[in-house]
Amino acid sequence: MRRLGLIKRGLALALCGMLTVPAVGMLWEPIAVEASSQLPGGEGAGDFKRSPEDDDPEKLLANTKKGAQDELDDYFEFKKASIPADKQTEAASAVATSKKAIEDCKSSAGISDRLTEGKAKVDSYIPVAPEPEPEPEPEPEPEPTTTNNNIMVGGNWITPVANGGAQVSVVLPIVNMGRTRVKNVVVTPQISDDASKWPFEIETSNYTQTIDRLPGTDDGGDDMERRRELTWILRTRKDAPGGYRPVVFDVTFENDDHTLTTVNLTTYVNVKGTTGTSADGTASTPRVIVTGFTTDPEEVRAGETFTLTLHMQNTSKSTAVQNMLFDIQAASESTDTTYVAAAFLPTAGSSTIFVDRIAAGATKDISMEMEARSDLAQKPYVVNVKMNYEDESVHAYENTASVSIPVRQEARVDISSIEVMPDSIDVGNEANVMFSVYNIGKTKLYNTSIKFISDSVSGGDTYLGNIEPGATANVDAYLSGAAATMDDGIVKIEITFEDEAGEATTIEKEMTLFVNEMYFSDDMMMDDMYGEDMMDQQGGFKIWWVIVPAVLIVIGIIIFVVIRRKKKKKAQELQELEDDLEELSEDGPEGRSGYEESDGETEKLSPWKKWKKRRSEKRNGL
């Protein structure tokens, strides 16, 4: 057993020794020895057998040069791919120069230096890689904009991502931040064949959508409850430029006072995955769109004729369209439940227009004379344009577009007969003027007011407010006499009102009212004499101190003359009466004053009849 233990211990020591030898070998560094110092039979030669050439210094130096030159060639071949093509010839020439320098070296140290220099020359022809530029900061997401402080893109709006060739839902949330609601909202995106302005395929020309009404803040509810959303399903063009692209919408609406307003709302889409070229290289489907319209006259009024000019464009850049037939139809409108007709009717009877050809990318104007119905209300009316056409390969296409034409309704006003009581007044007095104003048009009259214009009267201004179609408003005004009438007494009446567009109109009527100079009675003179002016206790000369006494003297003279004439006339009448009575008393029964013949008979007269007969004879000069 003891022998067995000794054997085990010996095996363990041997195993440890075997593991220790590799660890010691890892710590050993080889010592470079010059070839010239390795002599035959020298220390450390061991069993190595040397040839006679190994002992020749020139052979050893030549071998060292050859190895350095080969290493330089290998280095150039390794780096050649990194050298620009236009610099590779120069780099090869530099390598040859370095190899010649190695050939001229007299020692291994010089060879090593020339090899290092040759490698450095090769590296000098390799472009220095630029430092990586810092990654650009991501483009900030733009915010929607509006040209109106009230109508804007609603909250919680998210920029949609539009991938090239794929469909995207563009949602436009609209909110009215104004107090009053708006209605008849017409929303149309601004389409274009320019991919930077409209990064979507033009698959139809009728992109218009409508909203019946947008409630205001006075209608209650928060912003999210009052907003309305419109959605367009669009296909992104593959050649559209990437990044955030603006999408502009035209929004036309009718205000609470029936005026029309147009604003622009701008949102954005984030375009990604586009290449700028068509995937299959084929021409796109030719689309004909309405880019705009004009009317002549510019303002269309109900009951009048106008010329509608539509601006058409072939959006295809490579395909012309031909044999085009346009059918222009106005939307039907009704003022009651029994009568429905188009808002506009063509004067020529036909609603179609033929166009022979529109070249690729070209535009064409088409015109039609139309008449607006006289009973139309003042608001925008939609005109639909149906298009049928062919491409150069006689493939048939069909499109529909629409435009919105605002119509103005002319306001019409009349008045009743004018009553003036009294028709003549003195300065300072008043006259009552009454008449009625009739709205005989189809549109509402707003802010109606009355003014009286004359040099002889003042006052009477009256505000009637709004007058509905077919309604009547009454005027009951009082005019004051300001100065005596010096002409024919005509007073102008100005009736001013506004239509639904806010345009003011004034019509004139006339009435007659005379103003006379004020008549001063005795009481009035006394009032003036003891009035405030006469009671003024301030110092200084007063004109009334002269005028009032003079007027009183004149009035006194007039009264004296009148009284004297009345007394004289009364005395004369008494004298005549006394004379008549005296004559009557002297006449006998047979006197002419006491009897009168009538049909051959003599009638006895009473004393009263005698006196009347005497008075009559005196007046007639008998």
Side-chain angles (χ1 to χ4, degrees), residues 105-138:
C105 290
K106 301 300 183 181
S107 65
S108 60
I111 294 172
S112 178
D113 292 341
R114 301 294 84 76
L115 177 60
T116 302
E117 292 175 358
K119 290 182 178 180
K121 289 181 180 180
V122 174
D123 292 339
S124 67
Y125 289 98
I126 300 175
V128 178
E131 295 182 2
E133 296 181 359
E135 295 185 3
E137 296 182 1

Side-chain angles (χ1 to χ4, degrees), residues 403-425:
V403 296
S404 181
I405 302 176
V407 174
R408 305 292 186 187
Q409 178 65 252
E410 184 178 2
R412 300 172 58 198
V413 175
D414 198 3
I415 67 172
S416 66
S417 59
I418 303 173
E419 297 182 8
V420 184
M421 298 181 296
D423 57 1
S424 177
I425 60 174

Side-chain angles (χ1 to χ4, degrees), residues 1 4 8 38 47 64 87-88 124 149 152 156 185 224 237 306-307 319 351 376 417 465 512 563 596:
M1 294 296 291
L4 182 60
K8 290 182 178 181
Q38 295 180 1
D47 296 332
T64 303
K87 298 292 184 180
Q88 289 183 4
S124 67
N149 292 330
M152 60 181 60
N156 201 24
V185 183
M224 296 296 293
R237 290 176 56 166
F306 66 97
T307 299
T319 305
S351 62
L376 294 180
S417 59
T512 302
I563 294 174
E596 182 177 1

Side-chain angles (χ1 to χ4, degrees), residues 211-226:
I211 302 174
D212 291 338
R213 63 184 63 241
L214 284 174
T217 56
D218 288 348
D219 295 328
D222 57 20
D223 297 347
M224 296 296 293
E225 293 175 345
R226 298 196 317 276

Side-chain angles (χ1 to χ4, degrees), residues 25 58 61 86 96 103 127 150 192-193 196 226 239 290 322 407 416 454 469 471 531 569 580 590 592 610:
E58 292 184 0
L61 186 61
D86 58 341
E103 187 67 31
N150 293 337
S192 172
D193 60 341
S196 63
R226 298 196 317 276
D239 60 344
V290 179
Q322 57 191 7
V407 174
S416 66
S454 176
K569 185 177 181 180
D580 291 340
E590 305 298 332
R592 60 170 186 163
K610 290 180 182 180

